[in-house]
Every structure is written in C-alpha cells, then in structure tokens.
Amino acid sequence: MRDYALFVPEYIACGVALLVIAIELFAPKFRKDVLAYLTALGALAWFGAGLAFLDRDPKSYQGLFLSDDFTSFFRLLAAGIVFVVALMSAEFLKRQRGVDHGEFYGLLLVAGSAMTIMAGATELLTAYLALEVLSFSLYILVGILKRDLRSNEASLKYILLGAFSSALFLYGLSLVYGSAGTSSYAGIAEAYARRDSGLDPAVVVGLMLILAGVGFKVSAAPFHMWAPDAYEGAPLPITAFLSTLSKAAGFALILRLFSSAFVTDAETWRWAFLALAALTMTVGNLIAIQQKNLKRLVAYSSIGQVGYMLITIAALGYGDAQVGLNATSGLLVHLIGYIVTTLALFSALTAAVNRTGSEEIAGLRGLAETQPFLALVVTASLFSFAGLPFFAGFATKLFLLQGATTDETIWVVALAVLNSFISLYYYLMVIRQMYLFDPVGDASRYRVQPVLWGLAAVLLVGILFIGMYPGPAFELSERAARPLFDAASAAAAARVQAH
C-alpha cells in the first residue's frame, strides 16, 4: 500500500533542509545564526508531527518501510538531537571561517531523516540506502571546516574506512539475499525457518560481514579506528552529533534487523555479539584512560558505552520474545539517558571551548572558579556516564543490564559493571582538572551565551529527572520495543511449525 502520509514528518525535515540551503544560496548576507534557529524550529515541527504517529496501528509502505511505535521512537530522538545540535552550533559557527551554514544545517536534518528510515526499514536495500544517506551526510559534516587540516584529515579517514565498511555490509546483504531468495526481513526469517538444520556457510559469512558493517557504524571494537580521529577533527557540535545520532541510528538498524530477519537463526550470530560486547567495552574504557584530548576521551568513552549496549543484542539471541522485549526496552531507555547526558556534556564543553579555544582536558583547569555552572553540568554528565546514583546513567544502565541478563550473558554483565568502575577513574581525572587546579590565563568569571546556558540547564534537569524518576522514559521505551517482539513471536511460532 502506498501511503505517502507515513512520511509527513520527514517531508517537513527535508523541506526545512532545502529551505535553509536555498536561503544561504540566494541571500548570502542573511544572518547565519538565524539559519540555526530556523533549523531548530523545523526540528520542533518534525518532532510535533512525529508525536501524531505514536500509539497508532503499524502501517507498511509497500513492504519496504513500517511505521510503528519503534520507528516513531527513533523519529522523536532524531528530531530532538537535531534541535539541540542546531542551537549548539549557532554560536560556535560564528567563530569559524569558510563554513557553508546552509549545507551544515540542511545535512543535520537529512541525516536525522535517514535515521528514521533506518529504524523503519523492513527490506535490506531500503536499510542500506538509508544507511548510506546518513553516512554521506556525516562524512561532509565532519569535514565541514574546509580551512582546518584536522577536519579535512578526519573526514578523509572517515570516508575511506566508511566506504570499506559499506562494501562489507553490502556484500553480506548479497549473501543473505542469495541464501534466502528475498530481501524482505519477514521473507528472510521465513526462509531461514524452513531450511534444514545445520550451518550454511553463506549465511554465516553473510551475517559476519553484516556484523562488521554495522559494528563500524556504531564504532564497536575492533571496527572503531575511525572514531577518535573523526571526533577530534570534527567541529564540536558535530562530535556531539556523531556521539548521539550515529549511535542511535546504528542500533535502530541492528534491533530491527536482528529481531526480525535473523531471529530464527540466532545461534549463528549471538556468540559474536557477546564477544564484540566484551571486547568493545574493555578496549574503549582502557584506552580512554590515556587520553589528553576531550574529544578523543569522549570517543573512547562512547565506544565503552556501545559495549554495554551490545550485550542487549546478544540477549536477543539467547532468550525468548519476552527476554528480547525486556532487553530492548532496557537498551532504548539507556539510549535516552545516554543521548541526554552526551548533549548536556557537549553544551557545556561548547560554551567552555568558545571561551578558552582549547579542546584539551587541561583546558578545563579551574572551570569551577571561572564558570561554576558549566563545571557542574560537566560533572553531572560524567557521573551519569559512570552510572552513579541519582543521575540518568545509573537508572538506565540498571535497566539495560537487568534486561540483558541471561544464563549465557551474565559474565559479560559482570564485566560491564567492572568497566563502569574503570570509567569512573578517567571521568574523575577530568573533574579533578576543574576543581583542584587554578585557571590558566584569565581567572575572571565569564558569562555563558544564553542559548548554551539554557540548553545546558534543561539537559542537566533531564539527567537528574531520568535518574530519579525513570518511569516515563521506561514506559516510552517499552511501548517502542513491543512491536518488534509481536513480530518476533510470530516468527518463532513459524519456526516451531516448520520443524
């Protein structure tokens, strides 16, 4: 059925993207910060339109895209991320030369729209095309500072490694298509349910290549090599964008794909996700200890966070539909907490870097004296990442690990707890710079730009609210996860009937 109304929120987002690009093209003297506020307004309209799709019966567009609560959840996340990053960029980009502001803000909206399509895709090529639209948007955004050699280098590395990972992913899709005879997620699950027991080499190789491709997109070790350089070279707001939207989009694709298309062949891939989770969290947290640059530290910290989230995907393969529902709900609520925390951290860091010009950890020295509010936001964000009580990370990580715990995954859950203690060490090293050292240079207090102050304040409240009252976020996450496992239950029943 061709119901174009399913894409109304994305029409709004892409329409605003075209508008901001056209304004800069035809009115080059137009105030650039107004483009940021126009983008934020567009993101709000996109968010509002997305709310209208919550709690509706699932509808499919030609078997290629499914509009359900899971898709709506990621649509709202994408709109929220674009809203915050657009406002964060308004002041930051004023200080940069050679930036095409219209392209910058337009690509934010296009990338967010691609994330929605990745979440709703129910066919392999649709998912791949959405993934490529997201990837190309990010390649350009990382290198948007055309006169900055670090930005150019980061973009080039990201493109080369991204092209390689896309080739792996596409080759894996071709093997899956060849073995199943269809590119539809539901058709693949039915084909794999009907086939004789035993490992099919083409299926195993195809799934491992897909795992490598999506592992690159979420920066899981050992496919994480692009992340530190891309994070360091990108403009600070785009580092925030990479840390949030890129990760959320990757997990949206993984959850839809592995809970539907590959759910009947879980024994082929579940062990790989378990090993990947253990390796990723350990590598991310151990290497983060050695970092001196704030962006690189956040890159490795986010790699560690991805390791925790990957336990959930392994749990999908080891448990039944109820375990899958609990694990996915935990992952989605953790994504909310992680995104709010990351955006709060970058709102504060953007304000601090606008003042000091330094992206090194040492550049935060004495921040508690020169701007105590920013120091408070950074501290709350880092404590949330570490999973300390009263902050969002504690409640959401508790739901995440509790939902992902099975007899087979319990050892990785224990490793995640250990890694959380390791992460606290390097977070405290950052806090130590802010509170125990005198400021470098001008020690007078300074005022934060009102937009950044307001963003940081609202997101700080969000961290504390989710940490102390996670109920609404968890209910939303459970509602978003349920459509996946209504379908999974049907696929499992088909498998039992076939055998």
Side-chain angles (χ1 to χ4, degrees):
M1 179 180 175
R2 293 187 178 181
D3 185 358
Y4 294 105
L6 298 178
F7 302 102
V8 165
E10 283 61 57
Y11 295 156
I12 294 171
C14 292
V16 175
L18 290 173
L19 177 62
V20 294
I21 292 171
I23 288 174
E24 185 172 50
L25 179 63
F26 296 110
K29 294 183 180 180
F30 194 80
R31 277 185 55 186
K32 306 305 182 184
D33 57 337
V34 175
L35 295 179
Y37 303 134
L38 183 58
T39 302
L41 283 175
L44 278 181
W46 179 19
F47 187 92
L51 286 175
F53 285 81
L54 281 175
D55 291 328
R56 286 190 180 184
D57 292 334
K59 285 188 179 181
S60 177
Y61 177 84
Q62 295 285 91
L64 304 176
F65 175 87
L66 183 64
S67 177
D68 56 14
D69 281 350
F70 181 80
T71 304
S72 296
F73 176 87
F74 282 95
R75 175 181 281 142
L76 297 179
L77 277 187
I81 292 168
V82 171
F83 174 80
V84 173
V85 173
L87 292 179
M88 197 186 299
S89 305
E91 189 67 29
F92 183 85
L93 290 186
K94 281 184 184 178
R95 303 164 187 270
Q96 309 299 324
R97 294 188 303 158
V99 177
D100 295 316
H101 292 248
E103 291 177 13
F104 180 92
Y105 296 115
L107 287 169
L108 293 181
L109 291 159
V110 170
S113 299
M115 170 173 155
T116 303
I117 305 303
M118 287 171 66
T122 54
E123 190 267 341
L124 294 177
L125 282 180
T126 304
Y128 174 74
L129 290 173
L131 177 64
E132 288 304 288
V133 171
L134 173 66
S135 298
F136 276 91
S137 300
L138 294 176
Y139 300 155
I140 298 168
L141 287 168
V142 167
I144 201 78
L145 301 180
K146 291 179 287 189
R147 300 182 185 181
D148 186 328
L149 291 179
R150 283 194 316 163
S151 182
N152 296 339
E153 179 187 350
S155 182
L156 180 61
K157 288 179 179 178
Y158 192 15
I159 290 170
L160 293 175
L161 292 173
F164 180 67
S165 76
S166 292
L168 292 178
F169 184 70
L170 189 57
Y171 189 40
L173 296 187
S174 70
L175 290 174
V176 168
Y177 173 75
S179 61
T182 178
S183 59
S184 161
Y185 289 5
I188 292 168
E190 290 174 11
Y192 286 177
R194 288 195 304 267
R195 83 172 197 269
D196 295 333
S197 59
L199 290 178
D200 182 339
V203 175
V204 174
V205 174
L207 288 176
M208 293 304 106
L209 288 172
I210 289 171
L211 176 59
V214 296
F216 175 90
K217 298 307 177 187
V218 298
S219 62
F223 313 110
H224 67 287
M225 297 302 181
W226 63 273
D229 289 331
Y231 278 46
E232 185 179 7
L236 203 54
I238 296 306
T239 305
F241 198 63
L242 281 172
S243 295
T244 52
L245 189 128
S246 176
K247 299 284 189 297
F251 278 102
L253 174 61
I254 292 169
L255 284 169
R256 178 79 77 179
L257 187 59
F258 283 86
S259 67
S260 53
F262 304 138
V263 68
T264 55
D265 213 50
E267 63 274 8
T268 305
W269 51 262
R270 59 193 182 189
W271 60 271
F273 273 109
L274 205 59
L276 203 63
L279 179 64
T280 300
M281 69 177 76
T282 305
V283 166
N285 284 305
L286 290 181
I287 300 181
I289 294 173
Q290 307 168 27
Q291 302 308 309
K292 304 297 182 187
N293 181 278
L294 279 168
K295 290 179 176 177
R296 295 184 76 88
L297 182 137
V298 172
Y300 284 108
S301 169
S302 72
I303 291 166
Q305 296 289 334
V306 166
Y308 307 144
M309 298 180 206
L310 286 171
I311 305 173
T312 295
I313 314 302
L316 299 184
Y318 284 109
D320 56 15
Q322 186 58 48
V323 170
L325 175 61
N326 294 339
T328 303
S329 301
L331 173 55
L332 296 184
V333 78
H334 186 62
L335 270 177
I336 294 174
Y338 168 76
I339 288 170
V340 171
T341 300
T342 302
L343 293 176
L345 174 65
F346 276 97
S347 296
L349 291 183
T350 301
V353 171
N354 283 347
R355 164 76 173 191
T356 64
S358 173
E359 295 176 353
E360 300 299 309
I361 295 173
L364 294 179
R365 285 188 173 185
L367 185 63
E369 183 176 334
T370 57
Q371 184 38 254
F373 173 70
L374 294 184
L376 174 65
V377 175
V378 172
T379 301
S381 301
L382 296 178
F383 281 164
S384 180
F385 282 142
L388 294 188
F390 307 115
F391 300 98
F394 173 76
T396 62
K397 197 177 290 184
L398 180 63
F399 286 129
L400 174 78
L401 298 179
Q402 187 178 41
T405 301
T406 68
D407 291 342
E408 295 82 6
T409 63
I410 193 166
W411 66 273
V412 188
V413 171
L415 184 61
V417 175
L418 176 62
N419 271 280
S420 292
F421 283 108
I422 293 173
S423 71
L424 185 59
Y425 171 78
Y426 59 80
Y427 294 140
L428 287 173
M429 290 298 98
V430 177
I431 295 169
R432 175 172 170 263
Q433 294 287 335
M434 296 189 295
Y435 285 92
L436 298 184
F437 288 89
D438 293 327
V440 177
D442 185 4
S444 61
R445 290 201 176 187
Y446 60 91
R447 296 184 65 184
V448 178
Q449 298 88 354
V451 171
L452 287 176
W453 193 96
L455 275 180
V458 170
L459 292 165
L460 174 61
V461 171
I463 291 172
L464 296 173
F465 180 80
I466 295 171
M468 292 186 275
Y469 186 53
F474 184 77
E475 288 171 13
L476 176 63
S477 300
E478 188 172 32
R479 218 162 64 196
R482 194 167 295 282
L484 296 182
F485 297 96
D486 291 341
S489 298
R495 186 181 188 191
V496 170
Q497 187 176 5
H499 290 284

